Amino acid sequence: MDAQSLIARRIAQELRDGMLVNLGIGIPTLVANFVPKGIHVFFQSENGLIGTGPVPEPGMVLPWLTDAGGKPVTALPGASAFDSAMSFGLIRGGHLDITVLGGLQVDRRGLLANWMVPGKMVPGMGGAMDLVAGAKRVIVAMQHTAKGRPKIVRECALPLTSNRPVDLVVTELAVIGFPNGQATLLETQDGVSIEDVIAATEAELAISPDLTKPAIVPISPGAVSLPPVGEAK
């Protein structure tokens, strides 16, 4: 399994039945492919859709039905479309159970930088700032290094997205949390040692006394789903 799929599969194990979940662009979109069997979640896109489905089949693309990154999606039966004001009301009102976002850097305290690289063109900041501030739980999906350089650092060199720490970072090497403001190694991926993770991390890592390997959870066929009508939670 490739690195991005490993990350997405592990994050999908954080989903619980009936959750309202926002998936950012990039690796986070893959989480929908690994929803555990028997779990029904509502996927929300900040451009105004709850109930996003899989990528449409060839020839079935609707140009007005896209995710927040502008990529074509489908809408599942029971989906709801609304304007950006309602969408950001849900986000800012604290109604999202989980947001999964990509990351450029995360520091030792869990502060995230993911919205711009100085000197490079940025089409817009998107909803990342609102999502980090408003979601009940924030999970970062990113590869552990970029061009050999650690992305989990002592201090972010890039502009911060929020002054609120994220809850979890999942990479192809490890799962890292931030209890009491300290980057803490919670899990290592199969075949990865603690030393491997430390060598690829700039920030100092505490080691959880309950350090584990990830469990493999069966996924649902088709993965993306809404609860049956009348069973929403």
Side-chain angles (χ1 to χ4, degrees):
M1 183 176 288
D2 63 81
Q4 294 188 351
S5 295
L6 276 174
I7 295 167
R9 183 179 68 174
R10 175 57 187 85
I11 291 173
Q13 294 175 29
E14 299 296 311
L15 304 181
R16 299 293 180 266
D17 205 40
M19 278 186 166
L20 180 60
V21 180
N22 175 280
L23 300 180
I25 60 176
I27 297 174
T29 62
L30 301 177
V31 173
N33 298 330
F34 295 98
V35 176
K37 188 174 181 179
I39 297 294
H40 301 279
V41 297
F42 298 88
F43 286 116
Q44 184 254 12
S45 182
E46 62 260 37
N47 58 327
L49 182 65
I50 291 178
T52 56
V55 175
E57 298 290 334
M60 298 300 290
V61 171
L62 298 176
W64 57 85
L65 191 56
T66 69
D67 63 17
K71 293 185 177 180
V73 294
T74 53
L76 298 172
S80 176
F82 36 83
D83 63 17
S84 291
M86 173 65 76
S87 185
F88 277 85
L90 290 169
I91 295 168
R92 294 170 181 170
H95 302 288
L96 280 179
D97 293 295
I98 290 178
T99 184
V100 183
L101 299 170
L104 298 171
Q105 293 178 329
V106 177
D107 78 5
R108 69 186 189 280
R109 298 162 294 174
L111 298 181
L112 169 67
N114 81 337
W115 73 277
M116 73 168 294
V117 176
K120 292 192 176 182
M121 193 277 289
V122 180
M125 66 183 67
M129 295 178 182
D130 292 281
L131 289 163
V132 176
K136 295 174 185 175
R137 196 156 179 246
V138 181
I139 300 176
V140 175
M142 68 180 190
Q143 292 187 250
H144 211 95
T145 62
K147 299 180 179 178
R149 302 184 65 175
K151 296 176 70 174
I152 301 172
V153 295
R154 294 184 186 89
E155 299 282 346
C156 289
L158 300 173
L160 293 178
T161 303
S162 174
N163 61 5
R164 173 193 172 183
V166 304
D167 296 285
L168 211 61
V169 174
V170 180
T171 77
E172 77 279 17
L173 300 183
V175 178
I176 295 171
F178 300 90
N180 302 314
Q182 169 67 56
T184 302
L185 181 60
L186 305 177
E187 295 179 14
T188 59
Q189 293 282 7
D190 283 335
V192 177
S193 69
I194 293 174
E195 292 74 20
D196 292 334
V197 178
I198 292 173
T201 307
E202 181 186 284
E204 182 179 351
L205 286 175
I207 310 299
S208 170
D210 302 316
L211 183 72
T212 62
K213 295 285 185 181
I216 304 302
V217 177
I219 64 173
S220 300
V224 179
S225 60
L226 284 172
V229 174
E231 293 187 14
K233 298 181 179 178

